Amino acid sequence: MTTSALASDLDQLKIRLKTIWMAGDYDRFSRYMEGSAREFYERLAAFRRGRWLDVACGSGQLALMAARDGLDVTGVDIATNLVERARGRARVESLRIRFEEGDAEALQFADGEFDVVASLIGAMFAPRPDMVATELLRVCKPGGVIAMANWTPQGFVGQMFKAVAKFIAPSGMPSPVLWGDETTVRERLGSGLSELRLVRHHYTFAYDFPPVAVVELFRRYYGPINQAFAALDTAGQDRLRGELEALWAAHNRAGIDRTVVYAEYLEVIGIRA
């Protein structure tokens, strides 16, 4: 394949991924995940200093937490509508945060510009993970911190993505949940770090309604699930809905009228060499 053809394929892939993440209403969806996002942020208490970069920031969940603590924060995301939503949330709270549209594979910042480079369930979805790793390391100061939370392959969300992947996963794109595999993370980031800590935690999905309604919430508001349903005919939608409802029901720790599911993720804390 020629260089121009490869570039064209990549451009099309980027457009498709941007469409996926602009679909639904991720801001509304993410409000249900605030508790576990806060737990991740609190574990970074020792690193609340200097300039922060939130990569693949969505509607600003992590960036807003850091800005409320008086940090100098910048957030970037590929989805135009989420950047606008994040700016609106910052304005409501009179927080000074720079939110910019940007690509985790080509960050528009100088080398060593940030003391902390963080990504909460975000940068893991970019299609070229080696370029993401290079960029995270590049914009982080020596002695600075790279912090990520990434779904694991064997965890609940990894299983959900496996069910959905056959309907929506772009051809040739590495699985995002490989960012939740310890060996893979060491290969991607290890040579640029002086220290690396990898710990598994659980994200709590908690809803005051049953699994059937949770699947409908994901279908309406979570971009990847929204687009997976949109790509199917009625029969295909019924099959996907049935698979997802069965998965949520099997992992539900609450009664029939509520849903509580624990989703494993890998916490990555690295010190830039």
Side-chain angles (χ1 to χ4, degrees):
M1 184 177 291
T2 66
T3 301
S4 61
L6 286 170
S8 178
D9 286 348
L10 178 61
D11 288 344
Q12 291 302 311
L13 175 58
K14 296 279 189 178
I15 291 170
R16 183 176 178 187
L17 290 171
K18 185 172 183 175
T19 299
I20 288 171
W21 289 109
M22 289 184 68
D25 185 346
Y26 187 79
D27 181 41
R28 180 167 179 172
F29 170 83
S30 69
R31 303 301 177 104
Y32 290 94
M33 302 170 69
E34 192 82 17
S36 291
R38 167 62 63 178
E39 291 172 3
F40 172 74
Y41 175 71
E42 293 295 340
R43 286 195 297 271
L44 301 179
F47 312 118
R48 291 180 199 164
R49 62 179 186 268
R51 300 193 63 193
W52 271 51
L53 177 64
D54 185 0
V55 181
C57 64
S59 60
Q61 190 174 60
L62 188 66
L64 289 163
M65 293 179 189
R68 291 179 192 124
D69 283 341
L71 299 174
D72 183 352
V73 184
T74 300
V76 296
D77 199 277
I78 195 174
T80 308
N81 59 339
L82 294 182
V83 171
E84 289 300 322
R85 189 68 64 88
R87 288 171 178 165
R89 293 180 69 179
R91 282 194 298 271
V92 167
E93 296 188 43
S94 299
L95 295 171
R96 297 184 63 183
I97 312 176
R98 291 171 299 279
F99 284 113
E100 303 176 8
E101 188 173 338
D103 187 341
E105 297 178 357
L107 297 169
Q108 300 299 308
F109 305 108
D111 295 357
E113 188 168 341
F114 297 94
D115 297 278
V116 178
V117 179
S119 184
L120 174 62
I121 316 294
M124 64 177 290
F125 293 104
R128 295 179 294 177
D130 289 343
M131 295 190 70
V132 172
T134 296
E135 286 294 270
L136 296 181
L137 291 165
R138 181 184 65 79
V139 301
C140 186
K141 289 181 179 179
V145 176
I146 294 174
M148 303 179 76
N150 305 317
W151 302 126
T152 64
Q154 62 270 50
F156 173 78
V157 176
Q159 294 178 50
M160 184 169 63
F161 284 161
K162 186 176 181 180
V164 173
K166 55 194 168 188
F167 302 108
I168 194 171
S171 176
M173 179 176 163
S175 173
V177 294
L178 287 174
W179 273 110
D181 173 73
E182 288 92 336
T183 299
T184 301
V185 172
R186 289 191 182 97
E187 291 172 352
R188 291 173 178 174
L189 292 174
S191 62
L193 301 172
S194 60
E195 299 177 32
L196 177 60
R197 186 185 74 194
L198 303 172
V199 181
R200 295 186 180 216
H201 294 281
H202 285 95
Y203 223 106
T204 301
F205 288 107
Y207 306 94
D208 291 324
F209 37 86
V212 170
V214 174
V215 172
E216 181 60 16
L217 175 82
F218 272 66
R219 186 194 69 78
R220 289 188 179 186
Y221 303 122
Y222 184 55
I225 304 297
N226 176 282
Q227 291 296 284
F229 274 95
L232 300 172
D233 59 18
T234 301
Q237 290 182 9
D238 289 343
R239 287 195 301 273
L240 178 57
R241 183 177 287 105
E243 286 187 39
L244 293 177
E245 288 176 358
L247 182 65
W248 279 93
H251 287 80
N252 186 19
R253 303 294 184 87
I256 60 173
D257 295 325
R258 296 182 63 249
T259 306
V260 175
V261 168
Y262 302 114
E264 184 183 68
Y265 69 92
L266 182 68
E267 181 180 272
V268 179
I269 305 290
I271 306 299
R272 182 72 169 95

